Amino acid sequence: MAAGRLVGLSVAGLAVLAVGIVLGTQLVPEPTPVASTVEAPPTPGTTATTTTTYDPEPGTTWLSDRQPVDDPPDGGSDRGAWTSGSANVRGQTRAKAWRATGAWCGKAQLAFTLDGQFTRLTAQVAIAGDSPDTRPLDFYVITDGTRSVEFQHVGKAPQPVDVALAGVHTLAIGVEPPDGDSTRCPGPERVAVWVEARLVPVR
């Protein structure tokens, strides 16, 4: 009789154990897979580049989006030397820029009408990273017919520009070879860029 009870208890114990295993298996959650991002290495023989993005302040006017006037105010070359769009500066593609070609042969200017609507011009100037010739050029700003700011011997390293425009009606940006530059024309092209040129409006 005692042996029968022991067998009964053992069977019952095994049954409880089996139920516990089944329930335990159902209650333990499966591990959640963790998402991961793997960046592919650059293709051999290519150079990685980055593109700037913009979150401008309300009222911002990009000079590269503004229509220039036909006649430069200081005898510079016509607007055919200039193109708006992107520019390469030290491996970065800047989406907002004016590119000037032909400046290594002489003066290149681009003029705009402001009508006193802006207080400042901020920008960066440089020789484009993809320019065939990277020797320095001189950059300058003309406000209402007066050359007000100059940036001499600018190379591939971008230089900051910050010019007061309060009450200014006409603005011109310009590029020219430095004094004593021995470059012959035609020859290897030097591409000058005005990048992220921003007009700050009157508040």
Side-chain angles (χ1 to χ4, degrees), residues 82-99:
W82 298 81
T83 56
S84 63
S86 63
N88 180 289
V89 179
R90 286 201 158 182
Q92 287 190 334
T93 300
R94 307 293 184 90
K96 298 290 187 181
W98 277 106
R99 294 167 56 93

Side-chain angles (χ1 to χ4, degrees), residues 78-158:
D78 61 22
R79 52 185 288 190
W82 298 81
T83 56
S84 63
S86 63
N88 180 289
V89 179
R90 286 201 158 182
Q92 287 190 334
T93 300
R94 307 293 184 90
K96 298 290 187 181
W98 277 106
R99 294 167 56 93
T101 58
W104 76 101
C105 291
K107 187 182 300 181
Q109 284 182 193
L110 198 63
F112 303 86
T113 300
L114 303 185
D115 293 330
Q117 298 176 9
F118 303 96
T119 60
R120 304 201 73 78
L121 166 70
T122 62
Q124 290 184 330
V125 293
I127 302 298
D130 56 357
S131 177
D133 187 343
T134 57
R135 283 177 293 171
L137 289 170
D138 290 349
F139 293 71
Y140 58 90
V141 175
I142 296 175
T143 53
D144 286 340
T146 300
R147 188 180 291 214
S148 54
V149 182
E150 295 186 356
F151 310 89
Q152 297 183 339
H153 290 83
V154 177
K156 294 177 68 175

Side-chain angles (χ1 to χ4, degrees), residues 14-109:
L14 289 174
V16 171
L17 179 61
V19 171
I21 292 173
V22 171
L23 291 176
T25 302
Q26 293 177 346
L27 292 175
V28 175
E30 294 184 2
T32 303
V34 178
S36 61
T37 303
V38 178
E39 295 184 0
T43 304
T46 62
T47 302
T49 60
T50 58
T51 303
T52 55
T53 57
Y54 301 95
D55 186 17
E57 299 175 8
T60 291
T61 297
W62 298 106
L63 200 62
S64 58
D65 295 338
R66 199 169 177 85
Q67 185 69 22
V69 298
D70 290 330
D71 298 321
D74 192 27
S77 64
D78 61 22
R79 52 185 288 190
W82 298 81
T83 56
S84 63
S86 63
N88 180 289
V89 179
R90 286 201 158 182
Q92 287 190 334
T93 300
R94 307 293 184 90
K96 298 290 187 181
W98 277 106
R99 294 167 56 93
T101 58
W104 76 101
C105 291
K107 187 182 300 181
Q109 284 182 193

